[in-house]
Amino acid sequence: MKFFIDTANLDQIREAQDLGVLDGVTTNPSLMAKEGITGQENILNHYKAICAIVDGDVSAEVISTDFAGMVKEGEALAALHPNIVVKVPMIKDGVKAIRYFSDKGIRTNCTLVFSAGQALLAAKAGATYVSPFIGRLDDISTDGLELIEKIRLIYDNYGFDTQILAASVRHTMHVIACAEIGADVMTGPLSVMLALLKHPLTDSGLETFLADYNKSQGK
Ligand code: G3P
C-alpha cells in the first residue's frame, strides 16, 4: 500500500519524507491556497519544489473545466517533472481529457469521485489513479469505505490497472480499513500518518525497558 501525503505544505512533506514511508504527494487548489501559493508561476514553482523533496508521484490539479483548457494546463504541468500526475475532475470533459492524456502517455489522477459508476468511467478512460473521497462521503452519512470495496471488486472483476487512491482520509481507522480492503494508495494529512505510530502500551513498555536498564546500570 502506498502512502501519499495530502498537503502543499513543504515542511510537512519534508517531515513525512524523513520518516521514510512516503510514496508521493497529492495537492488540490484548496490546499495550495491554504499555503498562500497564488499566481500561475508560483504555483508551478511550488510543484517543482515538492518534486525536489519527494521521489514519488505528485498530483497537480488542473483548474480548467473544458477539454481544451485541461489539455493545455495538463501538458504544462506534466512537462514540469516526470513525477507529476495530472489531476483531473470527474466531469464529462475531464473523462475526455483523461483519455487524451492516457493515449499520450501522461499519467492522471481522476479526482472528486463519489460513486462506483464514476470510478468505472475513470478506469475505462485510462486513469492512472482514481480518487474516491471517503471522508466527504462519511460527512453526509454515506459509507465511504463501502465505495472503496465496490471499486476494488469492479476493478478486480475486469483487471483494470487504475490504482485506487483512497482520498479525504481523516483518521487511522480509514487507513487500516483501506489496507484491509486493498486500496492501492491512501492519501491523508501528516497527523494521520503520525497517529498510526501511537499505542499506549508501546509508550509504557518503553518507559519500563528504559527504567530497568538504568536500574541494572546502577543509575
Ligand atoms: O485528497 C482529497 C482531499 O484533499 C480532500 O480531503 O479532508 O478536504 O475532504 P478533505
Side-chain angles (χ1 to χ4, degrees), residues 42-59:
N42 290 337
I43 289 173
L44 297 182
N45 284 336
H46 201 73
Y47 285 132
K48 284 198 235 171
I50 293 173
C51 290
I53 298 171
V54 182
D55 184 20
D57 288 349
V58 174
S59 287

Side-chain angles (χ1 to χ4, degrees), residues 6-7 26-28 30-31 87 111 131-136 139 165-170 187-189:
D6 194 29
T7 185
T26 51
T27 62
N28 63 40
S30 303
L31 293 172
K87 207 171 175 189
T111 190
S131 287
F133 279 30
I134 58 178
R136 291 193 190 183
D139 286 345
L165 195 171
S168 187
V169 161
R170 301 275 174 78
T187 191

Side-chain angles (χ1 to χ4, degrees), residues 53-76:
I53 298 171
V54 182
D55 184 20
D57 288 349
V58 174
S59 287
E61 188 158 344
V62 299
I63 309 300
S64 304
T65 53
D66 64 296
F67 175 76
M70 287 187 204
V71 164
K72 191 171 169 214
E73 264 189 74
E75 286 181 337

Side-chain angles (χ1 to χ4, degrees), residues 20-40:
V21 299
L22 190 65
D23 301 297
V25 179
T26 51
T27 62
N28 63 40
S30 303
L31 293 172
M32 293 294 270
K34 194 173 160 194
E35 298 308 316
I37 316 296
T38 55
Q40 198 51 18

